[in-house]
């Protein structure tokens, strides 16, 4: 992918801002959709990024469009709104959806994009805003392999590990499976920490025991600051987003007639905590669970 190709991004939130900053850092021309949900973009604009006020304007002025929004309803709105993305895609454009989405919706959108003689790949992310800012995201990519290879140099600007998963929609399927595992570990750990707190077990002793045994891993490392001192700054993932991701997973597994008893139990746990504190971050379920029972 040449340096001259123009890139557009829709969704410059906690994750999208890191993606945008690394694209600019690597010398690409970047156009950002103006939106109230964006993080501050002043630095990006000072580095040469452009700001536009409509999806139509962004679609008409860019060759590659990255979506980094909350989920399928937001992605579908971008495509199907009046004068939206689908109506204004340029022939040969490439849409890269980095959102977490329902795979059946992804496949449907990809067909609609293909009918416009454009291309669609799903490239959902794992890791956190910290790694996004550092250009060290993980990406799981679904779509035509030739298109994936064409955009891989761009993806390398903001991702450390990139896995080509297969046909379109496979990236989003694997992302939901990944998040079920990660969120499941988090739910189990949080319930265990809540039990330890109620038993007056020292947090550092608990961490030492888990680190030396079966609890060692990425989730424990992310949760350590909250376990020790209720500091959630290193894991600023909204519990509402976690619940959304689990809901997408159970929708997918329902469609596939898969076993999902464990997933439903985790989703019920998250729903119970959200009822207590709708704006909670994921680590805060430790405190919310400790208050129950």
């Amino acid at each position: 992918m040449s340096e001259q190709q123009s890139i557009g991004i829709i969704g410059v939130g906690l994750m999208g801002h890191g993606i945008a900053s690394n694209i600019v850092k690597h010398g690409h021309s970047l156009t950002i959709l103006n939106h109230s949900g964006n993080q501050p973009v002043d630095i990006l604009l000072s580095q040469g990024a452009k700001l536009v006020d409509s999806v139509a304007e962004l679609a008409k002025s860019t060759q590659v469009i990255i979506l980094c929004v909350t989920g399928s309803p937001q992605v579908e709105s971008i495509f199907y709104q009046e004068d939206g993305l689908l109506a204004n895609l340029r022939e040969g454009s490439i849409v890269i959806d980095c959102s977490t989405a329902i795979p059946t919706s992804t496949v449907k959108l990809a067909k609609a994009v293909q009918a416009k003689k454009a291309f669609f790949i799903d490239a959902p992310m794992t890791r956190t805003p910290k790694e996004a800012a550092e250009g060290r995201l993980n990406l799981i990519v679904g779509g035509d392999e030739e298109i994936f290879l064409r955009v891989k140099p761009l993806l390398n600007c903001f991702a450390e590990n990139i896995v080509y998963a297969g046909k379109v929609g496979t990236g989003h399927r694997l992302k939901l499976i990944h998040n079920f595992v990660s969120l499941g570990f988090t739910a189990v750990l949080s319930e265990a920490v809540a039990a330890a707190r109620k038993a007056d077990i020292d947090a550092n002793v608990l961490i030492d025991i888990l680190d030396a045994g079966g609890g060692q891993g990425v989730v424990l490392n992310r949760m350590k600051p909250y376990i020790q001192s209720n500091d959630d700054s290193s894991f600023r993932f909204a519990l509402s987003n976690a619940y959304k991701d689990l809901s997408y997973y159970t929708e997918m597994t329902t469609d596939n007639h898969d076993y999902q008893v464990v997933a439903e139990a985790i989703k019920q746990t998250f729903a119970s905590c959200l009822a207590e504190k709708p704006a909670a971050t994921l680590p805060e379920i430790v405190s919310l669970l400790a208050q129950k029972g």
Side-chain angles (χ1 to χ4, degrees):
M1 175 165 289
S2 69
E3 294 292 318
Q4 289 72 37
Q5 285 194 286
S6 53
I7 315 299
I9 185 166
I10 299 175
V12 188
L14 290 174
M15 300 295 282
H17 194 281
I19 292 174
S21 64
N22 281 287
I23 288 172
V24 171
K25 187 186 300 181
H26 282 80
H28 291 286
S29 171
L30 183 67
T31 300
I32 298 167
L33 178 67
N34 193 14
H35 191 274
S36 59
N38 287 348
Q39 293 291 299
V41 297
D42 293 350
I43 293 177
L44 295 174
L45 298 179
S46 71
Q47 293 171 334
K50 294 176 289 187
L51 197 65
V52 296
D53 290 323
S54 72
V55 173
E57 188 177 355
L58 184 141
K60 291 174 181 177
S61 62
T62 57
Q63 296 162 296
V64 179
I65 300 162
I66 297 171
L67 308 181
C68 189
V69 296
T70 303
S72 287
Q74 292 76 24
V75 173
E76 290 175 0
S77 175
I78 289 164
F79 272 90
Y80 294 121
Q81 65 183 263
E82 185 178 355
D83 215 18
L85 189 56
L86 197 58
N88 292 283
L89 273 179
R90 298 163 58 182
E91 184 174 331
S93 294
I94 302 173
V95 179
I96 304 172
D97 185 9
C98 291
S99 312
T100 301
I102 300 169
T104 51
S105 173
T106 298
V107 172
K108 181 181 176 181
L109 288 172
K111 289 179 179 177
V113 169
Q114 186 177 20
K116 299 285 290 186
K117 297 182 179 180
F119 306 98
F120 182 103
I121 65 173
D122 45 310
M125 311 164 283
T126 67
R127 293 189 167 172
T128 70
K130 177 179 181 292
E131 286 86 18
E134 295 168 349
R136 297 177 50 247
L137 288 171
N138 296 333
L139 297 180
I140 312 165
V141 182
D144 185 275
E145 189 170 10
E146 181 182 345
I147 302 304
F148 161 63
L149 292 173
R150 193 185 303 177
V151 300
K152 191 177 180 185
L154 172 63
L155 303 181
N156 282 330
C157 293
F158 56 88
E160 180 177 43
N161 301 300
I162 303 171
V163 175
Y164 175 67
K167 63 184 180 180
V168 69
T170 309
H172 280 144
R173 289 185 186 280
L174 278 168
K175 170 63 184 294
L176 295 180
I177 292 169
H178 167 277
N179 277 22
F180 166 55
V181 173
S182 178
L183 294 172
F185 286 175
T186 304
V188 169
L189 175 61
S190 297
E191 188 170 306
V193 174
R197 285 187 175 185
K198 293 179 77 171
D200 293 324
I201 293 173
D202 183 271
N204 290 312
V205 173
L206 174 64
I207 288 171
D208 287 343
I209 296 299
L210 293 174
D211 251 340
Q216 186 183 43
V218 172
V219 171
L220 178 60
N221 287 335
R222 287 178 178 169
M223 291 286 286
K224 279 179 183 178
Y226 196 86
I227 295 169
Q228 293 169 320
S229 61
N230 287 349
D231 176 9
D232 68 351
S233 60
S234 64
F235 199 6
R236 297 289 295 172
F237 189 67
L239 181 55
S240 58
N241 274 342
Y243 180 80
K244 178 263 298 179
D245 288 358
L246 257 296
S247 298
Y248 285 3
Y249 175 81
T250 55
E251 180 173 339
M252 178 182 73
T253 52
T254 297
D255 290 342
N256 293 339
H257 306 288
D258 296 326
Y259 185 86
Q260 54 176 273
V261 172
V262 175
E264 287 291 352
I266 297 166
K267 193 168 75 168
Q268 183 178 345
T269 297
F270 288 176
S272 174
C273 292
L274 279 172
E276 297 293 326
K277 187 173 181 180
T281 59
L282 189 56
E284 288 182 283
I285 64 174
V286 169
S287 300
L288 294 168
L289 291 175
Q291 295 167 10
K292 297 180 182 292

